[in-house]
Structure formats: C-alpha cells, structure tokens
C-alpha cells in the first residue's frame, strides 16, 4: 500500500488527494487502480470496479506521461480554482484517460504532457490548494 | 395494448421568475394543457412530474394549487432528462393499460440557485477538481474542431440559427436574433465557447396530457399526436479512451428509438435536440443520422437544419434561445413538436411536418458521456 500524499504532507490542502502518492524515490506519483477481474485500470483508486463490479482492486502507479486528448480554458466555475483555469484529458500510455488541471500558457491537442504536482488554487481562508497537473514535456 | 397519444400541451414561457414559487410558475402550464386537450381536471388518473433541482414533492405542490389532489403522483429526477423521463413513464403506464389519461409536468426554477453554472455532485471525481458542464462540452468542441476542421464561425452559426428561431417563438426566453460577430465577441466562458454559445439559466414549466386510444377518441378535438417511440437509456461507464466527438448514449438511444418507431433519419421533419452548448447540436446531427460523421458544420451552413431545410432542428429556438430550465426542458421540447405537427407555429412553422423527435440528455458524471438520455418520436 502506497502512502498517499495527504497523509505524507502536513498543512497543505490537497485536491484529488486519492490519486497522489509518494513513489519509491520520494517523488509524487499518479495513483490509480487495476481490477483483477476485468483488468481495467482507472484513476483514482476505488474499492469496487465501476466496469464489472469486481471487488479485488489493486493499486497501480500510472505512467507519468501521456498525450493531450482535449482541453479547454474555463472562465467560470468554482472560485477556489485559478481563473482562467486550464483543464484537459490526458491519455496515458497504458490506456487510461485522466482528467487534470493543465500547467502552461498554450496547449495543443496531441502533444505530450508530463505529470507533476503544483498549486492549483486558493481557498477563501488563504490556504493554497495543491493538486496534480500535467504540463508540456518540453518547455514551460 | 393501447398506443399512447398526446392530446394536450401547454407551457409557461421560459424566463426568470425569481419572485414566484415553483408551483406558481408551473400550474398555469398544467391548466393550459388541460384546456388544450378539452379534458376536465377530474378525469386525469395519474401524474408524473419531472424536476431536477426543485426539491421534494414538486408534483404535489403544483397540483395542490389547482385542486388536483388524491391521484397517484410520481416525482422524477433525471437531470436534464427529468421531464422526458416522466413522459416515458406515462407512456409506459398508458401502453400497459394501467391508465387512460395521464398528466406529465416538467418544472424548474434555476433562479432559486443564484445563477452561475449548474451544481454537479460534489462527490464526483471530476467535479471536485473543477469540472463544470461548459468545460465538458468545450472539450468535445475542441476535439471536434481538431478532428474535423470545424471553424469558430460554424460553431457560432448554431447560436445564430437558434436565436433567429427563438425570436419567432413567444415562449422563448431569448427573443433577440444575433449575428456571428456578436456571438464571437460575447465574453469567453470556456474556450471555444463564448457566452452566446451557452444556454441561458432560467425558470419555466411545461405540461403534456397523454391518453390511450380510447381516451384520445373521446377528448381529442384536435387530432391526437401518436407516440411512435419513447426511449430512455443511461450512460455507459468508460474508464479508458473514448471518442468525445460521438455521444455514445445518444447514438445508442437514437438507434433504439428509430427501431421502436419503425422510422429512420430520412423520415424526421423536425427535431428538438439538446443544444445546451453550440457544439452539442452539431454532434447530435450526426448521432441521429441527419448527416455523416464530420459533416455537421457543412450541413448547418447549407441550411439543411433551418426551418425550411431537410430537417428543421430546434425550430423552437432550442435550449440556446428558448432556454433550459433543466427539468422542464424535455416536456417543453414535446410541446413544440406537438404544436409543429398540428401546424400551429406561425412564423416558425415547419412546412408539412409529419414526424418529429425530441431529445433530452444530461447529467455530468466522471467516466460517462452523460448520465441520462430520453428520446421521443411523435407523428400526426
Ligand atoms: Zn472490473
């Protein structure tokens, strides 16, 4: 069982905490799960498989890069997140699609993106929100 | 087994009624549907009421206003498909022979929420990270533009067409036509959408009287409208890669509805589809088979989906112009199709309309295209 980051780091307010864990070398990794019955993988980890109902779900560290499937820059929505807010779907090399905040100024469908952890917003009580993000592999 | 028929429709103009109770927004729609059918309130045997955000017992609170109490009332919540799901339940009950006369209501008061984007389930994985409905549709649009070369101008043209239609519909919330330039210059919401490519938030209600063949014969002074198909389905969870330019729930639902009705896309004269955002209408042209994959932009530009086109799409103005009080939308689509099939629509009348369809889909859930989809095919 991997240690998820919300338990590893004190004080920070984490968004998407269930999918952020500390990997073997201490760096954050994207955590998903794999169903032993239907072999489907998904993010975040869940205890029951939404595809087949199987209950034997194993933690599975996800690839830390993928390809941007689509994205948008949003000017509406929850005030706790940055505005404008870049959101996208990243297709990981293992067939899993991840919904994620994006870091960067401009984006292109089809470009390679890399996993990271960053500040994604701030609550009204001035506490920063930390979450997982994908950013361009080269540059930024 | 009896067929189901629609013998009366009515609606409260979509708009903003912040000072009114939801029941007071809705009861006039019920009275107008009863009057349209020529049926006395006491002859209604059951009611199904759709509302997504109206709270508990919306149906009872509406019918209590007008002395229609003591009948079985079923309240239905299915996001944007709430009142079309209520209709599907009513049709099933009539076909099964349980009732001869059933009232369907759709009612919603979004001004009670204080504006902004629709609240999604907070425990949803994507919603908890900032996903909102405009962002979901915007990502469909970005991918569609990437895959098929759709332009921002073509996207804006959906709003131009539907606002022009809405300007001819007294029940529409937005009454002013707009130009492509105005659409593109309105404030950004979620790239590529500007404000005029997003349906407005508002209140409203619609009501439908469903009747068995026997009751239709007795009451329908105007010719009854036949329900050829009444389809309901839910989204399929897909954790991996999926094509966001093709709405799997509507593709499945439309195939089921066409099969039940025994008609195909070439038979449809008009369609009220779920254009919550500009891209949605284009994607639904393809899902219903009105044009081939990737050709929706050209189909729209050619005028094929205009009121005088091959298939009139959203002659009422659609969600973009008529408005989208979530739970009321499906029933209001049926109101429009019934009026079109009867030839009552004046300046926005679709010539020689014989067969029409309605399509309400929605519900934002991580891993789904949408949560719910209900499609009806009606004929005169
Ligand atoms: Zn499984």
């Amino acid at each position: 069982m991997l240690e998820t980051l919300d338990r590893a780091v004190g004080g920070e307010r984490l968004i998407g905490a269930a999918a952020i864990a500390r990997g073997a070398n201490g760096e954050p990794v994207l955590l998903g799960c794999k169903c032993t019955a239907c072999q489907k993988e998904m993010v975040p980890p869940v205890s029951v498989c939404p595809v087949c109902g199987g209950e034997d779900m194993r933690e599975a560290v996800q690839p830390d890069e993928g390809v941007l499937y689509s994205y948008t820059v949003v000017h509406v929505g929850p005030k706790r997140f940055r505005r404008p807010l870049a959101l996208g779907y990243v297709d990981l090399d293992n067939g899993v699609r991840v919904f994620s905040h994006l870091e960067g100024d401009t984006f292109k469908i089809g470009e390679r993106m890399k996993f990271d952890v960053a500040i994604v917003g701030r609550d009204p009580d001035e506490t920063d929100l930390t979450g997982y993000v994908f950013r361009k592999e080269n540059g930024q | 087994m009896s067929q189901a028929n629609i013998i009366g429709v009515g609606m409260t103009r979509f708009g903003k009624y912040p000072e009114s109770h939801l029941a007071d927004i809705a009861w006039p729609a019920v009275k107008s549907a009863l009057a349209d059918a020529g049926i006395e309130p006491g002859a209604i045997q059951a009611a199904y009421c759709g509302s997504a955000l109206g709270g508990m017992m919306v149906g009872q609170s509406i019918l209590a206003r007008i002395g229609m109490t003591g009948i079985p009332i079923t309240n239905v919540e299915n996001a944007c498909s709430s009142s079309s799901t209520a209709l599907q339940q009513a049709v099933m009950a009539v076909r099964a022979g349980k009732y001869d006369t059933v009232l369907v209501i759709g009612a919603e008061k979004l001004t009670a929420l204080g504006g902004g984007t629709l609240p999604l389930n907070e425990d949803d994985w994507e919603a908890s990270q900032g996903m909102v409905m405009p962002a979901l549709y915007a990502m469909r649009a970005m991918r569609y533009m990437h895959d098929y070369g759709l332009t921002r101008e073509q996207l804006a043209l959906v709003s131009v067409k539907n606002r022009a239609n809405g300007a001819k519909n007294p029940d529409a919330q937005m009454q002013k036509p707009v130009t492509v330039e105005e659409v593109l210059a309105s404030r950004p919401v979620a790239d590529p959408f500007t404000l005029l490519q997003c349906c407005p938030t508002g209140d409203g209600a619609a009501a439908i009287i469903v009747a068995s063949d026997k009751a239709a014969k007795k009451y329908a002074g105007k010719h009854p409208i036949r329900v050829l198909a009444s389809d309901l389905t839910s989204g399929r969870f897909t954790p991996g890669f999926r094509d966001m330019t093709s709405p799997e729930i509507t593709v499945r639902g439309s195939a089921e509805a066409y099969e039940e009705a025994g008609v195909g896309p070439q038979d449809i004269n008009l369609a009220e589809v779920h254009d919550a955002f500009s891209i949605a209408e284009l994607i639904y042209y393809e899902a219903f088979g009105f044009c081939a994959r990737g050709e929706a932009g050209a189909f729209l530009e050619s005028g094929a989906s205009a009121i005088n086109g091959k298939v009139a799409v959203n002659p009422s103005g659609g969600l973009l112009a008529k408005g989208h009080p979530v739970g009321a939308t499906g029933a209001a689509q049926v109101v429009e199709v019934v009026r079109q099939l009867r030839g009552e629509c004046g300046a926005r009348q679709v010539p020689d309309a014989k067969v029409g369809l309605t399509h309400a889909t929605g519900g934002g859930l991580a891993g789904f295209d949408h949560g719910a989809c209900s499609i009806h095919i009606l004929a005169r």
Side-chain angles (χ1 to χ4, degrees), chain B residues 7 36-40 43 101 211 214-222:
Chain B
I7 61 168
D36 185 48
I39 192 169
E40 58 279 16
T101 52
K214 191 178 79 181
K217 203 164 279 174
K218 180 171 174 192
Y219 292 105
K222 295 171 186 168

Side-chain angles (χ1 to χ4, degrees), chain B residues 336-367:
Chain B
E336 175 71 10
V337 170
V338 167
R339 287 175 176 167
Q340 288 282 356
L341 294 174
R342 290 175 178 168
E344 298 172 350
C345 288
R348 67 175 196 287
Q349 180 62 46
V350 175
D352 199 27
K354 290 191 180 73
V355 183
L357 71 76
T358 66
H359 163 249
T361 183
L365 287 173

